[in-house]
Amino acid sequence: MKTYTFSIYRYNPDVDDKPHMKEYQLEVEDNQDLMVLEALIKLKEKDPTLAFRRSCREGVCGSDGMNINGKNGLACITHLSSLKSDKIVIRPLPGLPVIRDLIVDMSQFYQQYEKIKPYLINDDKTPPARERLQSPEDRAKLDGLYECILCACCSTSCPSFWWNPDKFVGPAGLLHAYRFLIDSRDTATEERLDELDDAFSVFRCHGIMNCVNVCPKGLNPTKAIGHIKSMLLSRAV
Amino acid sequence: MVNAAGTFGRSGSHDYILLRASSVIIFLFSLFMAGFFVSTADVTYANWSGLFSNVWMKVFTLLTLTAVLIHGWIGIWQVLTDYVKASGVRAFIQFVFSVGLIVVWLTGLFVLWGV
């Protein structure tokens, strides 16, 4: 048996004056490797007051984003063995208000996502009868963009988003913004760029690539943001 | 679209271009001055004031001071909007830095005028 020590951020605003870290022990069979989420579920069986979000438990829904040993990630696809330590510190995603324990209020994150109009805009007067066709080359431009599951691991690891969550769109929102800017079927490119051309929305990204480092889907928001900056700058000069 | 009156440029792209362009000028001036000090064995008042009496050197220096003014203004505004949340305090610090940068520019202008 191997014993893991978990130090978990606990805060229940109805009971606690301030947040605190609580320690738990969990024994795992030597030939067994659990995901962090499975470990949390086992700990919750012992202490039902522990609160965290989870749903699909396979890295698709993006519900269980949390800070594991200092790095944001999805608990359901992070192996305990990958953490290379038997001491595991779990905190909520940084920068967002904590509702309870590991559950954060994602309102600001979603407001930024809403701002970039994450849907196809097409002003063709005569829409095709069946579907808007795309060439394989144009479709390929969406790869690496559409896969984002909005888990918020990237945006909450970004200092620019911590300091200005009301003004800087953040890596997740900007990845989606570029997904629609580059879509051959979208006709609102200019309007979308107009909305982004201020000193905060895009340009507060200084390219430190924390977002790339933590993305559980292996996406590259910094590259997408670079493309948006190029589109804005080529319009400006 | 976020409105920001405190910065120097008219838009995010304008700020971005001003920052990059001004940094190129500051880099070239630094490179030139480093070259001057390396190639001049004995820096005396005569060759120092001789260098700055050239019209092209006055223009180059004033251009660099203008670049410092713009670069500093935008840079300090970006740092302050990240780290200073109280708008009154932020406005005061921005005021102090902006006035300081203008004072540096004007001082440079009058010094160059007198050479």
Side-chain angles (χ1 to χ4, degrees):
Chain A
M1 296 289 263
K2 184 172 181 182
T3 305
Y4 284 94
T5 305
F6 286 81
S7 177
I8 301 180
Y9 179 102
R10 300 298 313 268
Y11 178 57
N12 179 352
D14 291 340
V15 184
D16 302 323
D17 289 333
K18 58 178 184 180
H20 61 279
M21 301 302 287
K22 188 171 176 185
E23 290 221 340
Y24 296 88
Q25 308 284 331
L26 183 70
E27 293 201 328
V28 178
E29 301 280 347
D30 280 331
N31 59 354
Q32 197 182 19
D33 191 8
L34 298 179
M35 295 295 182
V36 173
L37 178 65
E38 291 174 297
L40 283 173
I41 291 169
K42 284 181 184 294
L43 294 176
K44 191 175 168 71
E45 285 168 7
K46 289 196 261 180
D47 178 0
T49 65
L50 177 62
F52 52 88
R53 287 196 183 105
R54 82 279 179 276
S55 183
C56 75
R57 55 98 185 103
E58 56 186 10
V60 174
C61 73
S63 303
D64 62 351
M66 55 188 72
N67 188 275
I68 305 161
N69 276 0
K71 186 177 175 185
N72 290 353
L74 295 178
C76 59
I77 53 170
T78 305
H79 286 100
L80 288 182
S81 61
S82 71
L83 299 172
K84 313 258 188 271
S85 169
D86 52 10
K87 168 103 177 141
I88 296 162
V89 181
I90 301 182
R91 294 172 183 273
L93 290 174
L96 294 177
V98 174
I99 295 173
R100 181 175 164 171
D101 297 343
L102 302 175
I103 299 174
V104 289
D105 180 356
M106 309 259 287
S107 305
Q108 284 180 317
F109 176 77
Y110 291 133
Q111 278 160 11
Q112 293 301 339
Y113 177 59
E114 194 181 347
K115 237 163 66 173
I116 60 103
K117 298 193 173 77
Y119 40 83
L120 194 84
I121 301 172
N122 190 303
D123 59 5
D124 278 357
K125 294 287 178 279
T126 50
R130 293 188 61 186
E131 58 186 313
R132 298 186 195 281
L133 292 173
Q134 243 184 338
S135 70
E137 292 75 25
D138 283 337
R139 168 60 190 79
K141 290 176 186 168
L142 308 183
D143 290 338
L145 304 170
Y146 77 92
E147 297 95 329
C148 173
I149 56 171
L150 293 171
C151 64
C153 285
C154 59
S155 291
T156 58
S157 70
C158 172
S160 291
F161 188 75
W162 296 340
W163 311 147
N164 290 293
D166 55 335
K167 300 189 186 79
F168 174 53
V169 173
L174 291 171
L175 188 85
H176 282 271
Y178 184 61
R179 180 248 172 275
F180 288 100
L181 282 168
I182 202 66
D183 194 317
S184 60
R185 301 162 296 181
D186 192 281
T187 56
T189 310
E190 283 303 309
E191 293 86 333
R192 290 179 187 279
L193 289 174
D194 285 343
E195 282 299 310
L196 294 171
D197 194 8
D198 59 77
F200 283 99
S201 301
V202 177
F203 286 101
R204 210 28 84 100
C205 167
H206 299 303
I208 64 165
M209 299 177 82
N210 275 12
C211 51
V212 183
N213 189 34
V214 299
C215 178
K217 308 299 279 186
L219 308 179
N220 191 335
T222 306
K223 192 174 170 191
I225 294 168
H227 286 308
I228 300 177
K229 283 181 181 173
S230 299
M231 291 173 93
L232 285 167
L233 292 169
S234 61
R235 261 185 5 151
V237 292
Chain B
M1 168 83 85
V2 182
N3 288 317
T7 190
F8 201 93
R10 297 185 303 272
S11 64
S13 340
H14 194 204
D15 266 0
Y16 185 93
I17 293 165
L18 286 173
L19 272 178
R20 266 68 190 173
S22 57
S23 65
V24 169
I25 295 169
I26 295 166
F27 174 72
L28 290 176
F29 188 80
S30 309
L31 207 63
F32 174 81
M33 289 315 292
F36 171 78
F37 285 118
V38 168
S39 64
T40 312
D42 190 20
V43 181
T44 61
Y45 176 79
N47 56 24
W48 183 249
S49 90
L51 173 68
F52 281 91
S53 63
N54 295 308
V55 172
W56 63 265
M57 188 58 192
K58 289 183 194 225
V59 171
F60 192 18
T61 309
L62 204 57
L63 190 67
T64 306
L65 285 172
T66 309
V68 169
L69 171 69
I70 294 169
H71 200 90
W73 190 307
I74 298 172
I76 225 51
W77 178 81
Q78 288 195 347
V79 173
L80 290 177
T81 46
D82 270 353
Y83 297 109
V84 184
K85 290 298 157 198
S87 53
V89 178
R90 189 169 67 233
F92 175 73
I93 302 175
Q94 179 78 48
F95 174 77
V96 170
F97 272 96
S98 304
V99 169
L101 286 162
I102 293 169
V103 166
V104 168
W105 190 88
L106 286 170
T107 309
L109 174 70
F110 292 124
V111 168
L112 288 168
W113 202 307
V115 180

